[in-house]
């Protein structure tokens, strides 16, 4: 049954229950029906269906495919799961064995495979929480460098955490406005991925503000729903997001090399934020829209306005959420040289700490890395990109992480870092290790005390779960200090009665 309320949202009730499936803003209904015609009814029905659960496995950590998973057609490492797992309580999730990501957005893979054939310098501009960055880390050809940026400070730390968990060493995480990057790094990047902030229409059924449950105990639910459903989406917000998207592209355009590839995406349906912005980039910036090979059975929708090659996912056609993507090539031209200021007298005069000899043994291929101190922290930078790491570090950019943090010097002690524990460049036998059962792995991830097996070597010990590193403890004999980062820990004290894990227990 359908119930229309006095406020600007349409509420759909599941027959024989009191569960509200979806509350769509009336303006959204009017606009999208005009866009899709009779097809809108199918979209509306799909928005009331269950949200598919999908993950990408980490090929760099040799994660096996889920036994019960169905492949995502446009992503080799993507799989749909038959049900939602207890991701918070799965140590493999925290070890970077897989990433929970919406399936439609994995279509990025097809754009990269179509136009990136050799090592590149790639920028993921609006990268938090890290879905596309971790995907790019798996996709980019060997020898590439990935710079992941997030302008919102709090979200940038989440991004850095997820990049560290994925384990690829040739990455940099920064926290800057696009304009700052465009000015500081002209013509540096061969590829820029811009998943621009949008009005989020494609994520309506995952948005708790428009999904809820009415019960007799919640008599004010409809009033709550009115406040919530009108607080996020609006026509004015669509226009604001479209304008913001154009501003972001303008600000970052100078950082893209002439002849480079820009990948533009949103998770929304309207043409203002999608086709109209692509047309604007073509007309105002001289870009060329590029076709991406697809298969008919994927049921990807093309342009709803203009004739440019664009790729749109609707949940009534494809198994996933709403998504839009286009690839564009910047016109050829002269490449601007990046100027770097020389170091000041004080900085040149500083005496560098000596590199601990044991630190060189932490990496499986130490000859591929340059080891440098950054304050009290020792970092390993891939030699193939040492000039770029130096360049970005020299610029007025806020660098959160670069390469691999090997550890921190504290007095005479050198404490290995969490980044090192999770890096795919770690020498497997660099540290003594202990395999944990699920219960102890969760204790470790909650930063609780652990009791290690008798006979475990004293000193820094790598703890593992199902073979994958989780982090370090310092074994003192009678106890072990848990070195898991405080800000990464599992904070909830609640553990569900039934735990569903990726590889079972």
């Amino acid at each position: 049954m359908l119930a229309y309320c006095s406020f600007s949202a349409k509420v759909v009730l599941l027959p024989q229950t009191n569960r509200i499936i979806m509350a769509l803003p009336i303006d959204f209904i009017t606009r999208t029906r005009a866009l899709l015609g009779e097809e809108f009814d199918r979209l509306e029905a799909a928005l009331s269906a269950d949200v598919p659960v999908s993950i990408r496995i980490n090929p760099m950590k040799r994660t096996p495919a889920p036994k019960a998973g169905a492949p995502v057609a446009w992503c080799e490492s993507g799989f749909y799961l038959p049900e939602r797992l207890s991701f918070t309580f799965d140590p493999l999730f925290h070890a970077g064995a897989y990433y929970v990501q919406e399936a439609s957005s994995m279509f990025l893979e097809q754009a990269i495979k179509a136009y990136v054939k050799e090592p590149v310098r790639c920028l993921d501009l609006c990268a938090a929480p890290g879905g596309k960055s971790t995907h790019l880390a798996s996709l980019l050809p060997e020898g590439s460098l990935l710079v992941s940026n997030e302008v919102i400070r709090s979200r940038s730390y989440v991004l850095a955490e997820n990049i560290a968990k994925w384990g690829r060493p040739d990455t940099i995480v920064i926290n800057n406005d696009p304009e700052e990057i465009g000015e500081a790094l002209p013509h540096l990047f061969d590829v820029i991925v811009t998943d621009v902030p949008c009005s989020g229409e494609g994520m309506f059924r995952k948005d708790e503000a428009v999904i809820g449950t009415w019960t007799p105990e919640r008599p004010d639910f409809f009033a709550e729903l009115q406040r919530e459903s009108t607080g996020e989406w609006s026509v004015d917000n669509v226009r604001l997001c479209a304008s913001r998207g154009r501003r972001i592209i303008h600000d970052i355009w100078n950082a893209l090399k002439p002849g480079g590839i820009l990948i533009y995406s949103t998770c929304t349906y309207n043409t203002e934020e999608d086709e109209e912005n692509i047309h604007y980039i073509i007309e105002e910036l001289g870009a060329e829209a590029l076709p991406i090979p697809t298969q008919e059975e994927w049921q990807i929708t093309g342009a709803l306005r203009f004739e440019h090659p664009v790729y749109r996912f609707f949940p009534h056609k494809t198994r996933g959420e709403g998504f839009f993507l286009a690839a564009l090539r910047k016109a050829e031209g002269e490449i601007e040289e990046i100027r770097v200021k020389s170091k000041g007298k004080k900085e040149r005069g500083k005496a560098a700490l000596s590199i601990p000899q044991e630190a060189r043994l932490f990496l499986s291929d130490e000859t591929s890395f340059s080891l440098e101190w950054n304050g009290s922290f020792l970092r390993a930078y891939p030699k193939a990109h040492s000039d770029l790491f130096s360049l970005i570090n020299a610029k007025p950019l806020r660098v959160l992480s670069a390469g691999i943090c090997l550890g921190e010097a504290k007095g005479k002690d050198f404490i290995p870092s969490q980044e090192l524990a999770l890096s795919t460049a770690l020498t497997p036998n660099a540290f003594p290790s202990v395999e944990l059962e699920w219960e102890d792995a969760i204790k470790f991830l909650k930063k609780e005390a652990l009791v290690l097996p008798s006979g475990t070597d004293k000193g820094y010990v790598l703890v593992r779960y199902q073979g994958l590193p989780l982090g370090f403890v310092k074994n003192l004999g009678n106890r072990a200090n848990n070195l898991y980062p405080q800000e990464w820990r599992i904070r909830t004290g609640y553990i569900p009665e039934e735990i569903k894990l990726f590889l079972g227990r």
Side-chain angles (χ1 to χ4, degrees):
M1 127 180 163
L2 302 182
Y4 287 87
C5 299
S6 60
F7 55 93
S8 59
K10 179 181 177 183
V11 180
V12 181
L13 296 178
L14 187 66
Q16 308 304 318
T17 76
N18 285 324
R19 185 178 186 275
I20 292 177
I21 300 301
M22 179 60 61
L24 296 175
I26 295 300
D27 283 343
F28 169 79
I29 294 173
T30 303
R31 288 161 50 89
T32 312
R33 188 180 291 280
L35 201 62
L36 299 181
E38 295 181 358
E39 193 177 339
F40 176 78
D41 293 335
R42 293 174 55 205
L43 171 63
E44 185 178 43
L47 293 178
S48 297
D50 290 337
V51 178
V53 181
S54 49
I55 64 169
R56 274 185 304 98
I57 58 175
N58 190 341
M60 296 179 290
K61 295 194 174 182
R62 299 177 182 173
T63 307
K67 293 180 180 179
V72 174
W74 44 87
C75 177
E76 288 186 8
S77 58
F79 295 89
Y80 297 102
L81 300 180
E83 60 182 340
R84 188 166 188 83
L85 303 180
S86 308
F87 296 121
T88 300
F89 300 99
D90 189 350
L92 290 180
F93 171 70
H94 297 275
Y98 63 91
Y99 191 96
V100 184
Q101 185 179 9
E102 201 287 305
S104 298
S105 65
M106 299 180 194
F107 182 67
L108 171 66
E109 179 164 319
Q110 298 304 314
I112 295 297
K113 287 183 174 179
Y115 294 104
V116 181
K117 307 294 186 183
E118 56 188 29
V120 294
R121 301 167 181 176
C122 178
L123 169 67
D124 186 5
L125 182 64
C126 310
K132 290 181 179 61
S133 279
T134 53
H135 199 181
L136 288 164
S138 299
L139 285 173
L140 294 175
E142 190 70 27
S144 297
L145 174 71
L146 174 64
V147 178
S148 299
N149 176 71
E150 174 54 44
V151 67
I152 300 173
R153 187 73 169 178
S154 59
R155 287 168 55 85
S156 67
Y157 291 113
V158 177
L159 171 64
E161 176 183 340
N162 285 326
I163 293 292
K165 288 177 177 178
W166 208 246
R168 181 164 173 162
D170 42 8
T171 58
I172 300 173
V173 179
I174 60 177
N175 165 226
N176 287 91
D177 186 273
E179 185 176 15
E180 296 173 318
I181 301 172
E183 292 177 354
L185 304 174
H187 296 177
L188 180 67
F189 298 103
D190 305 284
V191 179
I192 297 180
V193 176
T194 56
D195 187 40
V196 297
C198 67
S199 58
E201 296 167 350
M203 305 299 285
F204 269 172
R205 63 177 172 175
K206 296 181 79 172
D207 188 346
E208 294 180 358
V210 291
I211 301 175
T213 303
W214 180 89
T215 67
E217 290 75 27
R218 293 186 67 191
D220 296 327
F221 176 75
F222 287 101
E224 296 169 11
L225 184 60
Q226 177 180 7
R227 290 192 297 271
E228 292 172 347
S229 63
T230 57
E232 295 282 343
W233 187 93
S234 69
V235 175
D236 285 343
N237 193 40
V238 167
R239 293 169 182 151
L240 175 64
C241 289
S243 175
R244 183 187 296 127
R246 292 192 296 273
R247 193 269 295 173
I248 288 172
I249 299 304
H250 265 287
D251 288 346
I252 203 60
W253 194 248
N254 194 48
L256 183 63
K257 273 185 181 178
I261 303 297
L262 175 83
I263 299 174
Y264 177 100
S265 65
T266 73
C267 57
T268 202
Y269 302 122
N270 67 76
T271 59
E272 291 100 318
E273 297 175 77
D274 295 341
E275 284 92 340
E276 293 179 38
N277 271 3
I278 296 304
H279 187 70
Y280 179 88
I281 296 168
I282 293 169
E283 292 295 311
E284 295 296 320
L285 299 176
E288 173 195 3
L290 301 173
I292 300 172
T294 63
Q295 297 183 25
E296 187 175 349
E297 58 266 29
W298 297 352
Q299 296 193 66
I300 299 173
T301 301
L304 299 177
R305 190 177 179 196
F306 304 112
E307 297 297 326
H308 309 307
V310 299
Y311 303 87
R312 185 191 294 278
F313 288 69
F314 283 111
H316 64 285
K317 288 185 173 183
T318 53
R319 193 177 172 192
E321 297 300 274
F323 184 67
F324 174 92
L325 184 141
L328 304 106
R329 190 192 306 277
K330 188 174 183 177
E332 296 287 352
E334 292 186 8
I335 295 178
E336 182 179 342
E337 183 180 349
I338 303 177
R339 298 172 183 260
V340 181
K341 292 182 180 179
S342 59
K343 293 182 179 180
K345 292 182 179 179
K346 288 184 178 180
E347 195 171 350
R348 286 199 302 266
K350 287 182 180 178
L353 295 172
S354 60
I355 305 295
Q357 189 57 40
E358 67 270 21
R360 300 184 182 278
L361 305 177
F362 296 162
L363 301 170
S364 54
D365 184 10
E366 184 265 331
T367 59
S368 297
F369 293 89
S370 299
L371 274 57
E372 296 181 17
W373 286 102
N374 186 345
S376 61
F377 293 93
L378 182 63
R379 289 198 166 272
Y381 302 117
K383 286 183 178 178
H385 303 294
S386 58
D387 57 334
L388 293 175
F389 279 92
S390 298
L391 169 65
I392 291 176
N393 279 323
K395 288 293 181 177
L397 299 172
R398 291 179 289 279
V399 179
L400 272 65
S401 67
I404 312 167
C405 178
L406 299 183
E408 181 182 10
K410 282 196 173 181
K412 295 182 179 180
D413 199 5
F414 184 80
I415 306 170
S417 77
Q418 183 68 18
E419 283 185 30
L420 175 64
L422 298 174
S423 176
T424 55
L426 173 68
T427 302
N429 299 318
F431 297 88
S433 65
V434 170
E435 182 76 15
L436 300 180
E437 296 296 326
W438 179 83
E439 289 79 3
D440 281 337
I442 294 299
K443 285 183 179 179
F444 174 76
L445 294 169
K446 294 178 79 171
K447 201 172 173 60
E448 296 177 354
L450 288 181
V451 177
L452 300 181
S454 59
T456 301
D457 292 346
K458 289 185 179 181
Y460 294 105
V461 175
L462 188 67
V463 296
R464 301 176 182 268
Y465 176 79
Q466 297 195 8
L468 283 183
L470 293 178
F472 289 106
V473 298
K474 186 173 185 180
N475 185 27
L476 303 177
N478 58 340
R479 61 186 175 86
N481 290 341
N482 190 334
L483 302 182
Y484 196 67
Q486 182 76 11
E487 61 276 15
W488 291 18
R489 73 193 188 284
I490 298 175
R491 290 173 171 79
T492 179
Y494 167 76
I495 295 182
E497 291 184 8
E498 183 182 11
I499 302 290
K500 300 176 182 178
L501 303 178
F502 177 66
L503 295 181
R505 289 175 63 182

